[in-house]
Amino acid sequence: MTHARSACVLILLATVGCTSANGTDERPEPSKPAAAGSPAAPQPAPVTPPPLDAGSGESTAGQYGPARGNAGFPYTAGTRGKALTVAVSCEGKGGVEVHLPVPHADFRLACASGDPAVTYHQLVLPASHRSGSVRVTAPSGVTWAVTVGRSDPAGEDRAPATG
């Protein structure tokens, strides 16, 4: 029984660890990454589906991306009288071509290297309230993302609510 208690005390002492003369633990500092010879260059912002302004009555009907090359995606139907808003963000050498079959609309957007370019298009067409799809054609070196939504047509003034 004496050997069992002695072994237990030795195990406890071994697990407590060592302390220095000033009473602090002598644990190694966590390793820090080595500093590079030159400061890191700022990274460009990532390409993400552009946000719509929900506070001003814009609502999202579909989003896609980030993506490279060609792709398509659907968007949901909306309220009659609302405009279809198509927001495109892209980055890279070249541009994107956006095709919307339902309202019969197409447009091109040039992209730039560095921070993504973001462009908002508003389409006020008779079929703007219908569901549909977006087809994006882009070279493989271009990263893009799209948000489709509904909003009040630009230039439409609303009378302030009275109460």
Side-chain angles (χ1 to χ4, degrees), residues 67-151:
R68 288 180 176 258
N70 305 335
F73 67 98
Y75 60 89
T76 61
T79 307
R80 268 189 198 273
K82 294 283 188 177
L84 187 67
T85 300
V86 181
V88 181
S89 176
C90 67
E91 184 274 326
K93 187 174 180 172
V96 296
E97 186 174 321
V98 180
H99 176 68
L100 295 102
V102 170
H104 302 291
D106 298 294
F107 59 89
R108 293 174 192 235
L109 174 65
C111 304
S113 296
D115 285 334
V118 178
T119 303
Y120 291 81
H121 293 273
Q122 190 177 71
L123 307 168
V124 183
L125 301 167
S128 292
H129 67 283
R130 292 184 172 169
S131 63
S133 63
V134 176
R135 178 83 184 142
V136 177
T137 305
S140 61
V142 171
T143 303
W144 58 268
V146 176
T147 300
V148 177
R150 300 295 186 319
S151 60

Side-chain angles (χ1 to χ4, degrees), residues 5-92:
R5 284 187 187 159
S6 298
C8 188
V9 170
L10 288 175
I11 292 172
L12 286 175
L13 289 175
T15 59
V16 170
C18 300
T19 59
S20 66
N22 64 7
T24 61
D25 288 344
E26 291 184 33
R27 295 183 196 148
E29 289 288 319
S31 61
K32 296 177 183 172
S38 63
Q43 295 296 317
V47 175
T48 59
L52 298 179
D53 187 2
S56 67
E58 293 180 327
S59 62
T60 301
Q63 290 184 316
Y64 192 87
R68 288 180 176 258
N70 305 335
F73 67 98
Y75 60 89
T76 61
T79 307
R80 268 189 198 273
K82 294 283 188 177
L84 187 67
T85 300
V86 181
V88 181
S89 176
C90 67
E91 184 274 326

